[in-house]
Amino acid sequence: FVGLDTVVKSKVYTNPEINILKVWSSMLASLINNQRSGKLLEQTRQNYETFFNTIDDFLIIIDRRGIIVHANETVYRRLGYSPDEIINQSVINIRPLERRDEAKTIFMKMLKGETDFCAIPLLTKSGTQIPIETHVKSGYWDGEPRIFMVSKDISQIKLSEEKFSAAFQSNSAIMVITRFADDQFVDANNAFVSTLGYSREEIKGKTLLTLGIVRGNLEEGTIQDAINRGIPMREIEINAYSKSNELYIFLLSAEEIYIGSERCVLSVAVNITERKIMENELRRAREEADQANLAKSEFLSRMSHELRTPMNSILGFAQLLEMGELNARQSKGVNHIMKSGKHLLDLINEVLDISRIEAGRLSLSLEPVHVNTVIREMIDISIPLANERQLSILIEQSADDHLFIRADRQRLKQILLNLLNNAIKYNKAGGSVMIKTQLMTIDLNGIASVRISISDTGYGISEEDIPKLFNPFERIGAEKSNTEGTGLGLAVVKKLISAMGGNLGVKSIPGEGSTFWIELPHASGQLESVEKSGILTELDTELAGKKGTILYIEDNASNVELVEQILSIQRSEIHLITNMYGNMAVGLAIKHQPDLILLDLNLPDVHGSEVLIQLQNEEKTNKIPVVIISADAMPQQLTRLLKAGAKNYLTKPLDVLDLLKVIDQFI
Ligand code: ADP
């Protein structure tokens, strides 16, 4: 009450009273403090226990004799013992029987402070072992000096180590682990030892370079460099040498790995030596086969070319004989010579075509060709044969009469003639042949094509024979009939079509007839594109009234038409003479003495370069300027032609302005 009284009534305390109050208050304060720290101590203890028990590691506290004084719940839960079976027991007892001596030795060392680590597993009550790593620390527990043992379960790590080790050792690929810092071997697998012949002892402290396994083609630091820059080292081809200096070729991949805290490189090398050898052999064999094939084609091509000359003379003289007076036997003989000779010539020509294409010596002149013109020309040629067999040839009118395709005119004619002849030859007497032209839809490359189909009303071809049709010398039974043929026609057709970038196909119903079709890229006619451009009507110069004569040797009607049109609009006073045969050129030039000769190279009878020589050799024509017009001339060919006397050349498709320039230059 001493203190509280003054709240109600003022009082002056005496010194003894103050001292008593001081003593009392300090007694009171320490009483309260004591109570508080007791509570705190209990809380700390509880915290500590909870913490102790929630830890997954095994925590065991032992005294200096090795007797367990405390353990956390993990110990009881994982090992399956009750506290009675643990507390006051030797820590050695929870180790496997066979390792207890070892455990004792380590424990003694721990006591002396010589080691703080132990890797002997723990033994559960049921007798299984848990692999652990134990670290120890000295300290105090309940005021007594104690040893704290913390054991970590490493069974997962052990398991993955075992898996890695099995994968590493038994892998058929060579695997090595090297230290990142100095390239030295850490480990190498069985495949390394057995393939390269080094034992694990021999590689200790060495590197791939110092052992001479890799020489020069994998410089020091290359792998580390790549890893540091984050570039994956994948399947790099390297040469490697075994201990006995045998060469191997490997595909090397490398990866950064950590072993403990050490940065290492895991390199995996797949042995591709055999594969490489095989690949090289295959390549060589293929090259040899290609060369042999080319040589064969060259040989065939030369041979058939050489055979043609004597054949022509045999046939020529047989023809002369035929015209003379012959008795019945002689006439029959000559007939045989003519028939067999023609057959032989057909064979030679077709073999020549096939081998030329195979040897890559077929020169094609691709230009816009007016489809209907060519079809009509070929029908004209085929009509006599059709009449002989009382067959009619019909054309199905297409919506567009002005379809053009990109093709070599002569070769297109050859293809159509072949198909038409077959449709007539393999038809029933009195049947018909139908020709149809269609513009097809645009394909994936944005190019439309034109399809020409030739259908007959013949005996047809069975489904299993269709794939054989285009094989050389395959006549599918026709050899037994008296239908003449070589069995090479369709093979030539197929090769020509693919050389021109086209397609072909067959559909047949046995007994009813067959349809053979070809498809070639659609093109726009030159005249049409020039007309569309409006360029023809725009040009109007004072040169329009020029007079003169031009001889144009060209077999493509649409080109002739174009030049005619250009002249009639732009140079209407110039007279144009045209002819499709090269052999006619000299005669026409002598007769008309033109101011200029325009000469195509790809002509049906002779090559344009031949015509140029003929013109140069003739006195009456060798002063007339000749300008070459060609779709396919190679630079060397043009140089040759210019040297041979041509004044200039123009390329197809014709450029109107270039053509006019040339005309104005020479007229
Ligand atoms: P050839 O006519 O010289 O025998 P081809 O290569 O042109 O050689 O044709 C090969 C074979 O395909 C012919 O022998 C013939 O049996 C068959 N064949 C070709 N065209 C037709 C067709 N329109 N109808 C039926 N069979 C055909």
Side-chain angles (χ1 to χ4, degrees):
F1 302 122
V2 178
L4 291 179
D5 272 359
T6 57
V7 176
V8 184
K9 202 161 88 195
S10 167
K11 174 177 165 50
V12 177
Y13 288 95
T14 62
N15 270 341
E17 277 173 334
I18 289 171
N19 283 338
I20 286 174
L21 277 173
K22 277 185 179 164
V23 171
W24 277 17
S25 62
S26 67
M27 276 166 68
L28 197 64
S30 53
L31 210 74
I32 293 167
N33 267 345
N34 268 352
Q35 213 170 17
R36 240 188 229 157
S37 44
K39 244 189 212 159
L40 264 176
L41 208 67
E42 183 51 30
Q43 259 173 19
T44 314
R45 202 186 156 76
Q46 271 172 15
N47 284 349
Y48 196 68
E49 272 297 328
T50 317
F51 169 70
F52 219 66
N53 289 331
T54 50
I55 279 181
D56 260 349
D57 294 344
F58 301 88
L59 296 177
I60 296 171
I61 302 165
I62 53 172
D63 65 15
R64 297 190 63 79
R65 291 166 304 152
I67 303 298
I68 302 172
V69 294
H70 193 75
N72 71 348
E73 268 186 27
T74 309
V75 174
Y76 301 119
R77 184 167 45 81
R78 297 280 316 272
L79 301 187
Y81 302 106
S82 66
D84 286 349
E85 291 164 311
I86 286 280
I87 303 297
N88 290 329
Q89 295 298 318
S90 165
V91 74
I92 306 294
N93 290 351
I94 51 171
R95 310 285 154 165
L97 212 57
E98 68 279 8
R99 298 191 68 176
R100 284 184 190 168
D101 287 343
E102 193 188 340
K104 257 183 218 155
T105 318
I106 296 174
F107 180 67
M108 297 314 286
K109 278 189 179 169
M110 281 176 174
L111 276 182
K112 285 188 222 155
E114 287 172 7
T115 182
D116 64 352
F117 178 76
C118 171
I120 297 177
L122 287 172
L123 183 71
T124 67
K125 192 174 175 182
S126 61
T128 56
Q129 299 186 9
I130 299 176
I132 49 155
E133 277 179 356
T134 303
H135 286 271
V136 295
K137 264 229 168 340
S138 305
Y140 284 86
W141 182 258
D142 286 344
E144 300 288 334
R146 297 289 182 238
I147 295 165
F148 291 76
M149 306 181 101
V150 182
S151 307
K152 196 173 200 52
D153 180 349
I154 55 160
S155 34
Q156 283 309 317
I157 299 171
K158 265 250 156 358
L159 202 69
S160 49
E161 259 176 23
E162 275 163 19
K163 276 195 228 156
F164 175 79
S165 171
F168 181 77
Q169 290 304 349
S170 62
N171 208 302
S172 62
I174 287 179
M175 293 174 115
V176 291
I177 298 170
T178 46
R179 279 212 300 250
F180 194 93
D182 58 10
D183 271 342
Q184 284 190 12
F185 283 102
V186 174
D187 201 358
N189 73 349
N190 296 338
F192 173 91
V193 175
S194 63
T195 310
L196 296 174
Y198 291 96
S199 70
R200 288 196 178 82
E201 278 305 303
E202 279 172 295
I203 62 170
K204 262 192 195 143
K206 301 275 172 44
T207 72
L208 285 165
L209 273 161
T210 54
L211 281 177
I213 294 174
V214 294
R215 300 173 190 170
N217 57 4
L218 191 70
E219 278 166 28
E220 210 173 317
T222 313
I223 297 178
Q224 286 92 327
D225 231 41
I227 288 172
N228 278 339
R229 282 194 277 140
I231 304 165
M233 278 274 281
R234 288 279 174 274
E235 307 205 326
I236 292 165
E237 199 176 305
I238 58 154
N239 290 350
Y241 297 85
S242 71
K243 197 176 167 188
S244 55
N245 211 20
E246 212 175 324
L247 172 69
Y248 285 92
I249 303 163
F250 292 121
L251 281 184
L252 178 81
S253 303
E255 195 85 49
E256 174 187 36
I257 58 167
Y258 277 88
I259 297 181
S261 56
E262 182 144 50
R263 197 177 183 195
C264 295
V265 176
L266 170 70
S267 305
V268 181
V270 179
N271 188 352
I272 55 160
T273 319
E274 296 267 307
R275 198 171 93 195
K276 266 279 173 234
I277 293 172
M278 232 159 67
E279 268 174 21
N280 283 342
E281 274 171 8
L282 270 178
R283 192 177 325 119
R284 208 172 319 126
R286 203 204 147 100
E287 276 167 14
E288 275 170 16
D290 281 352
Q291 251 166 12
N293 201 20
L294 200 68
K296 178 212 76 182
S297 300
E298 290 267 348
F299 171 74
L300 275 178
S301 144
R302 269 158 209 263
M303 191 190 75
S304 28
H305 191 80
E306 293 304 319
L307 286 175
R308 261 200 322 191
T309 321
M311 244 357 266
N312 279 326
S313 100
I314 292 172
L315 281 174
F317 283 108
Q319 241 169 335
L320 276 182
L321 276 179
E322 211 179 20
M323 286 183 232
E325 296 230 335
L326 299 172
N327 64 30
R329 255 184 55 207
Q330 286 169 330
S331 158
K332 210 170 155 197
V334 172
N335 227 338
H336 275 303
I337 296 178
M338 286 293 291
K339 221 172 133 191
S340 308
K342 272 205 191 110
H343 182 75
L344 192 53
L345 192 60
D346 281 349
L347 264 174
I348 292 170
N349 280 334
E350 278 162 346
V351 169
L352 182 62
D353 276 341
I354 292 180
S355 48
R356 254 195 202 145
I357 299 171
E358 282 182 351
R361 291 214 274 119
L362 178 83
S363 81
L364 288 173
S365 168
L366 299 179
E367 56 183 322
V369 178
H370 184 232
V371 180
N372 278 355
T373 310
V374 176
I375 290 179
R376 284 200 196 96
E377 275 177 38
M378 292 308 100
I379 291 178
D380 286 347
I381 297 177
S382 309
I383 275 181
L385 187 65
N387 286 345
E388 233 173 70
R389 309 209 57 209
Q390 293 115 45
L391 289 163
S392 47
I393 303 180
L394 312 163
I395 303 184
E396 188 181 301
Q397 279 301 331
S398 68
D400 185 358
D401 186 44
H402 282 283
L403 281 178
F404 282 81
I405 50 178
R406 218 176 114 71
D408 179 295
R409 213 177 139 75
Q410 298 309 327
R411 296 306 189 173
L412 177 65
K413 282 185 193 170
Q414 187 181 352
I415 291 166
L416 290 177
L417 200 60
N418 242 312
L419 296 179
L420 258 172
N421 269 344
N422 279 352
I424 295 169
K425 279 193 316 192
Y426 302 106
N427 216 321
K428 293 174 199 155
S432 64
V433 176
M434 166 71 89
I435 304 172
K436 191 173 150 190
T437 314
Q438 290 162 272
L439 180 65
M440 307 301 281
T441 43
I442 291 168
D443 71 3
L444 287 175
N445 303 320
I447 300 166
S449 56
V450 173
R451 177 183 283 206
I452 305 172
S453 320
I454 298 176
S455 310
D456 60 53
T457 53
Y459 293 98
I461 307 148
S462 69
E463 208 167 315
E464 63 264 27
D465 282 337
I466 285 187
K468 300 185 212 154
L469 280 176
F470 301 94
N471 294 344
F473 298 109
E474 191 76 67
R475 296 207 64 209
I476 315 177
E479 65 275 19
K480 284 179 224 130
S481 71
N482 55 5
T483 313
E484 282 178 17
T486 57
L488 285 171
L490 287 178
V492 174
V493 166
K494 188 173 178 191
K495 285 200 188 285
L496 286 176
I497 281 284
S498 77
M500 290 198 277
N503 266 323
L504 88 177
V506 197
K507 254 202 183 135
S508 187
I509 303 173
E512 286 185 24
S514 321
T515 299
F516 284 75
W517 56 260
I518 59 165
E519 264 178 32
L520 284 160
H522 179 231
S524 47
Q526 291 192 71
L527 187 58
E528 274 85 350
S529 23
V530 169
E531 273 172 354
K532 246 185 246 159
S533 73
I535 196 166
L536 273 181
T537 44
E538 273 167 28
L539 294 165
D540 186 17
T541 63
E542 62 253 42
L543 300 168
K546 261 190 174 185
K547 288 193 170 60
T549 304
I550 295 175
L551 172 62
Y552 184 18
I553 306 293
E554 164 72 88
D555 68 325
N556 190 341
S558 63
N559 275 324
V560 173
E561 209 181 321
L562 175 69
V563 173
E564 268 169 3
Q565 195 85 354
I566 295 172
L567 288 179
S568 76
I569 296 173
Q570 290 294 328
R571 303 287 183 273
S572 56
E573 298 295 304
I574 292 179
H575 180 48
L576 181 72
I577 299 154
T578 63
N579 198 288
M580 64 190 286
Y581 294 107
N583 282 329
M584 302 291 284
V586 175
L588 287 168
I590 294 174
K591 188 173 163 203
H592 297 280
Q593 285 296 313
D595 302 283
L596 171 67
I597 298 173
L598 299 175
L599 178 62
D600 180 34
L601 292 182
N602 197 35
L603 297 166
D605 52 350
V606 278
H607 194 259
S609 53
E610 195 77 18
V611 179
L612 179 67
I613 294 168
Q614 287 176 19
L615 287 165
Q616 296 293 310
N617 288 344
E618 171 57 53
E619 222 176 274
K620 289 179 202 141
T621 57
N622 63 9
K623 306 257 158 19
I624 306 171
V626 177
V627 171
I628 307 290
I629 297 185
S630 166
D632 68 323
M634 305 276 161
Q636 304 120 296
Q637 194 184 18
L638 289 173
T639 325
R640 217 163 358 99
L641 290 164
L642 291 176
K643 258 195 197 153
K647 287 284 179 281
N648 206 340
Y649 63 85
L650 294 169
T651 48
K652 288 184 200 173
L654 274 174
D655 181 290
V656 178
L657 294 178
D658 284 351
L659 177 69
L660 286 174
K661 232 189 259 169
V662 163
I663 292 173
D664 293 336
Q665 186 189 344
F666 294 105
I667 298 184

